[in-house]
Amino acid sequence: MGIHRAEFLCSSQKWEQCPTPDRGEVAFIGRSNVGKSSLINMLTRHGALAKVSGTPGKTQLINHFLIDNDWYLVDLPGYGFAKISKKGRASLEQMIKGYVANRENLYCLFILLDVRHEPQRIDVEFMQWAAEQGVAIALIMTKADKLSKTALPKQVAAYREALLEYWEECPPMFVSSAEKGIGRDEIIEFIESFIHGGGEE
Ligand code: GDP
């Protein structure tokens, strides 16, 4: 169990260009600056696998990493950029949606959310759309270290409650902090339940 080796494989512009889907994969997505790169680096214990960038919107490709020569971890471009043109946004959305809707070996899509924020329309709409595609989704509330020990569970419970206005059941939820290494074991165990166990029981 765990992640021992992580290597960058390739960047693709379209889902059709992604590696042959002969292994299971999980993907990570979220609004830019949510802490996606930091989380991927924390999970893989690799200081600089995914680029932590000060410039939102820099990674606009589908990045595949090979984990332990066994499964793929995919870093998807962030969504909801204010800084890119309408046309750029549309093609980015097309890339992301094409990937999620068509990638046959995608076992789980992790949608990252900043734990300090209330549910945002763009996130909820994206979750709904992904669920409609029949893709298993899970949520990761990032930057848990930014809240106090008492505020954290309250905020997570409030988020869950807000989602229950849209759904009868909440997707699986995790709390993480790349700064403090929180959530690593739980998230990896969950991924392995898909990769080795054929899904969450
Ligand atoms: P991305 O754009 O989603 O890939 O986000 P990054 O990983 O580049 O992180 C965006 C900013 O949030 C950076 O300044 C990070 O240092 C910071 N950050 C990311 N994760 C955490 C975390 O768990 N805790 C704290 N306090 N800051 C974080």
Side-chain angles (χ1 to χ4, degrees), residues 9-22:
L9 205 64
C10 61
S11 295
S12 316
Q13 250 167 351
K14 297 179 180 169
W15 70 271
E16 293 98 322
Q17 296 163 351
C18 289
T20 312
D22 54 1

Side-chain angles (χ1 to χ4, degrees), residues 144-185:
D145 58 283
K146 296 251 191 190
L147 291 182
S148 71
K149 277 211 168 79
T150 46
L152 181 64
K154 276 191 200 152
Q155 182 71 7
V156 173
Y159 203 100
R160 191 187 293 272
E161 199 132 301
L163 285 185
L164 289 174
E165 286 179 21
Y166 300 92
W167 285 313
E168 278 179 23
E169 231 183 297
C170 223
M173 267 172 114
F174 298 92
V175 169
S176 77
S177 162
E179 290 274 310
K180 303 257 191 267
I182 296 169
R184 185 176 186 271
D185 292 349

Side-chain angles (χ1 to χ4, degrees), residues 92-108:
L92 194 59
E93 189 175 314
Q94 210 176 2
M95 176 207 278
I96 293 169
K97 290 199 163 174
Y99 168 85
V100 174
N102 294 296
R103 189 69 173 157
E104 62 197 78
N105 59 335
L106 177 61
Y107 285 179
C108 181

Side-chain angles (χ1 to χ4, degrees), residues 30-39 41 50-57 59 75 78 81 112 116 142-146 176-181:
R31 271 180 302 142
S32 70
N33 225 34
V34 72
K36 179 169 52 75
S37 311
S38 304
L39 177 75
N41 292 339
K51 294 220 165 46
V52 177
S53 117
T55 318
T59 32
D75 183 8
F81 302 115
L112 275 56
R116 295 167 299 174
T142 63
K143 308 190 187 181
D145 58 283
K146 296 251 191 190
S176 77
S177 162
E179 290 274 310
K180 303 257 191 267

Side-chain angles (χ1 to χ4, degrees), residues 7 9 19-26 64-74 99 103-108 194-196:
E7 45 196 310
L9 205 64
T20 312
D22 54 1
R23 303 163 186 271
E25 72 189 34
V26 300
H64 271 77
F65 301 98
L66 178 61
I67 307 297
D68 291 332
N69 209 20
D70 188 18
W71 53 276
Y72 294 132
L73 183 156
V74 180
Y99 168 85
R103 189 69 173 157
E104 62 197 78
N105 59 335
L106 177 61
Y107 285 179
C108 181
F194 282 100
I195 301 295
H196 296 136

